[in-house]
Amino acid sequence: MITAQGWIPSASALQAPGQTTPQTPPQTTPSRPQPGNAATEPIITDEEFDATIPTLDADPNAPLGTIEEWDAEQTRLEQNASPDRAITGDPLSAPMELDPELDAPLGPIGSFDVEPFDESQYTQAAEDDATRAVRYTYRIEGLTARPAPDASETPALSDVSDKARKAVDPDDIRARFRELSALDDGDGRAANGAMVSARMIEDQQLLADLLIGQCFFDATVNGAVEMPESGEGPMVVVLTASPGPCYRFDSITFTAPPVEPEDLITRSFVPAIGEPVDADRVLAAEANIAVALPQYGYPFAQVGQRDVLLDPATDSADYTLPVTPGARSSFGDIVTSGTSVFEADHIATLARFDKGDLYDSRLVDDLRKALVATGLYSVVAVKPEPTGEVAPDGTQYAALAVEQEAGPARTLAANAGYGTGQGIRAQGSWTHRNLFPPEGALIASIIAGTQEQGASGTFRRSNAGRRDRSVELSLSALRSDFAAFEAFTGRLAGRISYSSTPIWQKPITYSYGFELLGTNEQDFNFDLGRRDRRTYYVAALPGQITWDRSNDLLDPTTGFRLSAQVSPEASLGSGTQFYGRGLVEATGYFPFGDSIVLAGRARVGSIFGADRPDIAPSRRYYAGGGGSVRGFGFQELGPKDPDNRPIGGRSLVEGAAEVRYRFGNYGIVGFVDAGQVSISSTPGFDDLRFGAGLGGRFYTNFGPMRLDVATPIGRRPGESRVSIYISIGQAF
């Protein structure tokens, strides 16, 4: 029930401060002649008026005269008119007399009283002042904190715990009111008083609804306006609330058949007996029931219309909710419709459940996301359908209907980056993701850069026999021209991997495969004292495993990652040489508040079983660059030849520490990196080099854009003074 005081502002109420109402001078109206007024002479007498009216013919049926006869009669009357009519008092025939001053010559211009035209009173500014917006403020009265009821004063709540018998905080109502208020949205200004009045009436209803939603079912709200006493300043809209008593749950009842587990419905309904009847909490609890039932085997559950019975005598409420859970079900067959992308058997490969498992809507949502992640759908929907078929465990099978609509299977992609010592590197690719169904992709890519050029073709089958498992076979040709080496490399490789995706970040990922490559590379020959070219033939069996407990792939803020790589290799050609390459890396992320993250990284690598000259330069370890030790150019750290060009080593140690500060979509990073490359296979720490710098981050919906600027500490001849790195994602 809402009561409101009507308010129609007067004209003065709408004036802005300092504005006055223009006064209209009184106007006089000539007196109308009254009968019997001797002072007023008639313009024409009745006798003269009657004489001018032509008489009617005695015989109305007589024939009409001709036009010539009528003209002759008018001429006769004009000739008989008296020339001295004006003297006899006939004003209609009197000649008009002109004012003699009209014929007088004009006087000099200076004799006129000329006042300048005041244009300002007709300008737009004056018009705007006349219609200036009304200013106002508002306040709410009558809302006070309601303490928890005393059990001794409320017998209906005598058996309710103190936790359930909680207080009502008016600040919650005020905060919600500010979010939705029309008065608050107006920022204290309105075009006129009628608009303020409309907003006040709207907010009366809003405040009453909020009170009812917070358990005050008898609430009323009155609205009034207080004008400023001095005639200046904003008017004040006052909303006076009379909440009345707060109704609390006295009973909560669900009319539903038994379910499994038996407390599934009751534990999903959060409000308890003794709590205020809060509409938001009730609606959320009912929605929670509708969500929980399909998660525990009831895909066709329905929540009915609630019934709330209020008792004003005890300020209590009896709540009843009908629930129809439907048949308890298990997963049945997968059926497809629409424009087919995958057959049912491949969709079953993506599912994390088998036929006969208890129905769980979370697994259905997971399947839908997996189908979307393939990138082959424009629209895909997954929903259960009853079959009436009984499963061995007594449940009913629920079929999954997958409605498919194929999207474009071909994509073009490109990325680019820059690093000191690595130059500009751009890569483009063309992909047909379903050229060999199901999910058999063909990928063609090219690399065009200042120091790298190449092309490759890759066949990849995603979700190969298992979800998120990929099988790849690739063939590539690459030319590299770096300070460390110049190489022409052909490579044939295959790999099986189980990896994380942007949708599902897995705790354990792995990959294993093979590499066959032939590479002609330039290296410094210390025996000959000059750079020499040599062709290497390498066969390798690389493998990797990662334990990832971070919270994000591209921008982690908490957790850690541990990764290990191992690659037994054979160098063929002038004698067969067997050796092994290994690398271990650990990263950690430690948040401080909501804006600062301390990140750290450590990396150790070793090549054992072969001397450095027997290892192709492209297979050795190097340090320096955007993904290594910043402040140094790409592959710049480590042992060098007499020309001060890096030659690589058999062991590696690296470390890095970053402080990341984020504000909105931007961030600042300060970092210190360290690293050393040694000729020995045993990592060393006797010649650690350090780099330091600052970075900027721009956060997008797919990850942060990174710009790092660093300088080496203790710079040596030939090393870059400043290094710049641009890429996507954090450095680690």
Side-chain angles (χ1 to χ4, degrees):
M1 174 180 176
I2 306 298
T3 61
Q5 298 179 2
W7 173 62
I8 301 177
S10 63
S12 60
L14 300 181
Q15 297 171 10
Q19 183 179 359
T20 60
T21 303
Q23 300 295 324
T24 303
Q27 299 179 357
T28 59
T29 303
S31 300
R32 184 180 180 86
Q34 303 294 328
N37 188 349
T40 303
E41 294 292 338
I43 297 176
I44 185 172
T45 63
D46 293 341
E47 292 78 4
E48 291 176 320
F49 179 79
D50 292 338
T52 60
I53 299 176
T55 59
L56 296 176
D57 294 336
D59 185 5
N61 296 322
L64 294 175
T66 64
I67 294 178
E68 291 77 5
E69 293 175 347
W70 186 83
D71 288 339
E73 178 65 19
Q74 295 302 314
T75 302
R76 185 185 64 78
L77 292 175
E78 291 176 359
Q79 293 175 352
N80 294 336
S82 175
D84 55 352
R85 180 79 176 258
I87 301 175
T88 61
D90 187 356
L92 294 178
S93 301
M96 181 180 293
E97 297 184 4
L98 298 179
D99 189 343
E101 292 188 5
L102 294 177
D103 296 328
L106 293 175
I109 190 67
S111 64
F112 288 92
D113 183 12
V114 180
E115 293 184 2
F117 177 68
D118 186 6
E119 188 182 46
S120 64
Q121 61 180 322
Y122 299 99
T123 62
Q124 184 66 37
E127 184 177 342
D128 291 343
D129 289 339
T131 60
R132 185 160 47 182
V134 176
R135 294 183 296 125
Y136 66 89
T137 61
Y138 76 90
R139 70 172 184 268
I140 299 175
E141 296 181 349
L143 293 183
T144 58
R146 296 296 180 96
D150 190 343
S152 61
E153 298 177 359
T154 311
L157 305 179
S158 59
D159 296 331
V160 177
S161 65
D162 293 336
K163 182 178 180 180
R165 200 166 47 244
K166 62 181 182 179
V168 178
D169 187 359
D171 290 340
D172 295 340
I173 301 175
R174 294 179 184 273
R176 185 63 173 159
F177 179 84
R178 285 192 294 270
E179 294 177 1
L180 305 173
S181 167
L183 290 169
D184 196 86
D185 287 345
D187 296 327
R189 299 183 70 86
N192 49 51
M195 182 177 292
V196 177
S197 179
R199 293 176 183 173
M200 178 189 68
I201 295 173
E202 181 179 344
D203 280 359
Q204 285 177 238
Q205 184 64 52
L206 170 64
L207 183 56
D209 291 342
L210 292 177
L211 289 169
I212 293 172
Q214 285 274 11
C215 78
F216 300 103
F217 289 92
D218 299 332
T220 60
V221 178
N222 292 329
V225 174
E226 295 180 355
M227 303 304 299
E229 296 181 358
S230 62
E232 296 184 0
M235 61 182 68
V236 181
V237 179
V238 182
L239 299 178
T240 304
S242 300
C246 175
Y247 287 80
R248 296 174 179 268
F249 287 109
D250 185 38
S251 67
I252 298 175
T253 305
F254 301 101
T255 56
V259 295
E260 295 181 26
E262 60 182 12
D263 64 341
L264 177 58
I265 296 177
T266 56
R267 75 188 186 194
S268 302
F269 192 83
V270 178
I273 293 176
E275 288 188 3
V277 185
D278 187 326
D280 288 341
R281 284 173 58 81
V282 170
L283 293 175
E286 293 175 355
N288 194 42
I289 293 175
V291 170
L293 285 170
Q295 292 178 350
Y296 289 87
Y298 297 93
F300 311 110
Q302 294 181 349
V303 176
Q305 180 62 43
R306 77 194 70 84
D307 181 62
V308 182
L309 180 62
L310 303 176
D311 186 356
T314 59
D315 301 334
S316 61
D318 295 327
Y319 174 88
T320 303
L321 181 69
V323 179
T324 305
R328 196 163 189 254
S329 303
S330 298
F331 285 111
D333 295 325
I334 295 175
V335 294
T336 63
S337 62
T339 306
S340 178
V341 177
F342 301 134
E343 299 298 332
D345 56 348
H346 186 67
I347 296 176
T349 301
L350 300 178
R352 299 187 191 272
F353 54 82
D354 297 320
K355 182 177 180 180
D357 292 347
L358 186 66
Y359 185 91
D360 188 337
S361 60
R362 291 167 292 190
L363 298 179
V364 176
D365 292 338
D366 178 80
L367 174 59
R368 181 184 57 80
K369 292 178 181 178
L371 293 171
V372 171
T374 65
L376 294 171
Y377 288 97
S378 60
V379 176
V380 62
V382 184
K383 59 182 180 180
E385 291 183 349
T387 64
E389 183 181 353
V390 179
D393 61 356
T395 62
Q396 291 190 14
Y397 282 124
L400 282 186
V402 180
E403 184 178 351
Q404 308 180 74
E405 185 173 333
R410 300 170 183 84
T411 57
L412 291 173
N415 62 71
Y418 172 80
T420 300
Q422 194 175 9
I424 299 173
R425 186 178 189 273
Q427 182 174 0
S429 65
W430 173 89
T431 302
H432 191 307
R433 294 187 300 275
N434 205 32
L435 184 60
F436 308 100
E439 296 192 77
L442 180 63
I443 306 165
S445 63
I446 59 172
I447 297 174
T450 55
Q451 293 169 259
E452 280 187 291
Q453 305 86 37
S456 66
T458 302
F459 166 78
R460 181 182 64 208
R461 187 174 296 282
S462 302
N463 300 306
R466 178 186 176 184
R467 175 149 157 195
D468 296 331
R469 180 169 63 188
S470 299
V471 177
E472 287 186 5
L473 183 65
S474 63
L475 180 65
S476 64
L478 179 68
R479 175 186 179 272
S480 305
D481 185 10
F482 300 117
F485 59 86
E486 181 185 2
F488 296 89
T489 304
R491 176 177 176 268
L492 174 66
R495 185 179 68 163
I496 297 176
S497 62
Y498 179 73
S499 56
S500 292
T501 68
I503 299 179
W504 296 280
Q505 185 175 352
K506 301 173 180 60
I508 300 291
T509 58
Y510 61 84
S511 67
Y512 57 90
F514 72 91
E515 283 183 292
L516 297 174
L517 59 91
T519 177
N520 181 267
E521 303 186 7
Q522 189 182 65
D523 187 24
F524 189 86
N525 190 323
F526 283 88
D527 294 334
L528 300 177
R530 60 182 172 82
R531 300 189 71 82
D532 195 10
R533 302 195 70 88
R534 179 180 173 184
T535 301
Y536 299 84
Y537 300 96
V538 179
L541 298 174
Q544 176 179 342
I545 186 169
T546 300
W547 183 25
D548 188 353
R549 302 302 297 174
S550 66
N551 65 332
D552 192 271
L553 285 177
L554 293 177
D555 184 28
T557 58
T558 184
F560 64 89
R561 295 173 184 165
L562 296 175
S563 177
Q565 302 176 26
V566 61
S567 179
E569 300 184 4
S571 180
L572 310 174
S574 57
T576 302
Q577 189 78 31
F578 294 97
Y579 60 92
R581 302 172 74 242
L583 183 70
V584 177
E585 181 174 348
T587 58
Y589 312 94
F590 311 94
F592 292 89
D594 296 331
S595 303
I596 297 177
V597 175
L598 177 63
R601 175 177 64 86
R603 179 186 293 167
V604 179
S606 176
I607 302 176
F608 48 90
D611 294 331
R612 185 190 61 80
D614 295 326
I615 304 169
S618 60
R619 310 295 288 182
R620 301 169 190 168
Y621 283 130
Y622 299 88
S628 177
V629 182
R630 288 163 291 184
F632 299 89
F634 181 65
Q635 300 179 339
E636 192 175 56
L637 273 183
K640 293 183 172 61
D641 63 15
D643 296 330
N644 204 34
R645 298 177 64 174
I647 58 175
R650 294 192 297 158
S651 64
L652 165 75
V653 291
E654 287 182 0
E658 286 190 349
V659 178
R660 303 171 182 171
Y661 173 67
R662 177 172 179 173
F663 49 97
N665 291 328
Y666 301 92
I668 298 176
V669 175
F671 56 85
V672 176
D673 295 350
Q676 177 178 336
V677 176
S678 303
I679 296 177
S680 170
S681 61
T682 303
F685 300 89
D686 56 334
D687 191 27
L688 278 175
R689 302 296 308 282
F690 294 87
L694 292 174
R697 302 290 185 269
F698 174 64
Y699 293 90
T700 68
N701 57 357
F702 57 85
M705 301 289 292
R706 174 166 67 102
L707 169 63
D708 288 339
V709 180
T711 185
I713 298 175
R715 176 178 169 271
R716 297 174 183 175
E719 294 177 345
S720 305
R721 293 181 181 274
V722 176
S723 297
I724 300 174
Y725 314 96
I726 302 173
S727 66
I728 298 175
Q730 298 286 4
F732 56 87

